[in-house]
Every structure is written in structure tokens, then in C-alpha cells.
């Protein structure tokens, strides 16, 4: 069975992990609170809903996991990783281009390196994509 992981930023609660990225299982509680539970430790962290991104199940050329919301450099182009309803899968988005499948004719994960994400590094998108 494949492992489905999510990543999100921990809420700013003044604690040690405030605003840190956490990865694991996505949990929704009846009161509307969303947590990520780390499988290894069993710890659960309340996260900011707007920062939740799913792992695409692939690594970049440096071995780093790629998540929805990441900004990647692919053959000199700067793109963001998005989920495409049109393709029913993860794709690269670059202003002026159609969505590009990760495994399509344009790029594959070995062509790409994660250089940031849309939450911590929005400046990387300037002039490239919106």
C-alpha cells in the first residue's frame, strides 16, 4: 500500500513547534479543528488549514519529498506544484503554460528540484507564475 502524507504549518500557539512544518496523517475533528498526526511519534499538531498540502508520492532530483504547494525549478523554469482537477492528478503550473503533468512529455520528477513553497517563499514566483 502506498503511503499518503500531508504537510502543513503548525498553528502559532507560542509553543516550540509554532509555525514549523509538520508531516503525517491528516485528521479532522468534529469541532472543525484539523491536526496532522505523526505516525512515528503519535504526536498530533494543530495546523493552519490554508497550508495543507499532500505529498505527490515522488522525490525531486535531490531526494526531497515533493508536496502540493512546493515551488520547483525544472530545467530553468520556476513552477508551483498543484492538484489539477482537469488531469485528476498533480501537475506543474507556470504562468502562460497549460498545466504540465509531472510524468508528461515536458517534465518528470528527476528534472525538478524543490526550491521553496508558496507560503514561505512567495517571492520565488515573481515574474514566473501567479
Amino acid at each position: 500500500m502506498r503511503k499518503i502524507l500531508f504537510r502543513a504549518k503548525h498553528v502559532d500557539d507560542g509553543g516550540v513547534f509554532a509555525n514549523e512544518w509538520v508531516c503525517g496523517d491528516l485528521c479532522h475533528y468534529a469541532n472543525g479543528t484539523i491536526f496532522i498526526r505523526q505516525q512515528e511519534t503519535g504526536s498530533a499538531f494543530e495546523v493552519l488549514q490554508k497550508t495543507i498540502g499532500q505529498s505527490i508520492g515522488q522525490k525531486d532530483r535531490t531526494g526531497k519529498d515533493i508536496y502540493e504547494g512546493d515551488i520547483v525549478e525544472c530545467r530553468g523554469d520556476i513552477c508551483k506544484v498543484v492538484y489539477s482537477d482537469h488531469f485528476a492528478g498533480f501537475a506543474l503550473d507556470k504562468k502562460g503554460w497549460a498545466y504540465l503533468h509531472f510524468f508528461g512529455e515536458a517534465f518528470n520528477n528527476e528534472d525538478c528540484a524543490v526550491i521553496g513553497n508558496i507560503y514561505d517563499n512567495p517571492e520565488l514566483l515573481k515574474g514566473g507564475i501567479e
Side-chain angles (χ1 to χ4, degrees), residues 6-8 22-26 35-38 43-45 47:
F6 291 87
R7 174 185 74 182
V22 292
C23 300
D25 297 324
L26 191 63
F35 285 80
I36 286 188
R37 184 184 154 278
Q38 293 180 328
S43 299
F45 301 93
V47 295

Side-chain angles (χ1 to χ4, degrees), residues 80-97:
K80 68 179 171 180
V81 179
V82 297
Y83 181 83
S84 168
D85 289 327
H86 176 75
F87 291 123
F90 294 101
L92 299 179
D93 181 19
K94 183 173 187 278
K95 186 178 181 180
W97 289 21

Side-chain angles (χ1 to χ4, degrees), residues 14-112:
V16 175
F17 296 106
N19 292 313
E20 293 293 323
W21 289 100
V22 292
C23 300
D25 297 324
L26 191 63
C27 303
H28 293 79
Y29 290 94
N31 68 1
T33 305
I34 300 175
F35 285 80
I36 286 188
R37 184 184 154 278
Q38 293 180 328
Q39 295 174 344
E40 300 81 18
T41 65
S43 299
F45 301 93
E46 186 177 355
V47 295
L48 300 170
Q49 185 173 354
K50 69 180 181 179
T51 64
I52 297 170
Q54 185 177 350
S55 169
I56 71 161
Q58 299 291 324
K59 296 183 183 297
D60 72 358
R61 67 177 172 244
T62 68
K64 185 174 183 174
D65 289 327
I66 303 172
Y67 285 86
E68 179 181 12
D70 277 342
I71 300 170
V72 295
E73 179 276 320
C74 293
R75 297 187 195 158
D77 291 310
I78 305 299
C79 305
K80 68 179 171 180
V81 179
V82 297
Y83 181 83
S84 168
D85 289 327
H86 176 75
F87 291 123
F90 294 101
L92 299 179
D93 181 19
K94 183 173 187 278
K95 186 178 181 180
W97 289 21
Y99 284 104
L100 302 170
H101 279 286
F102 260 98
F103 304 105
E105 66 282 350
F107 298 112
N108 67 52
N109 58 313
E110 293 176 0
D111 293 325
C112 299

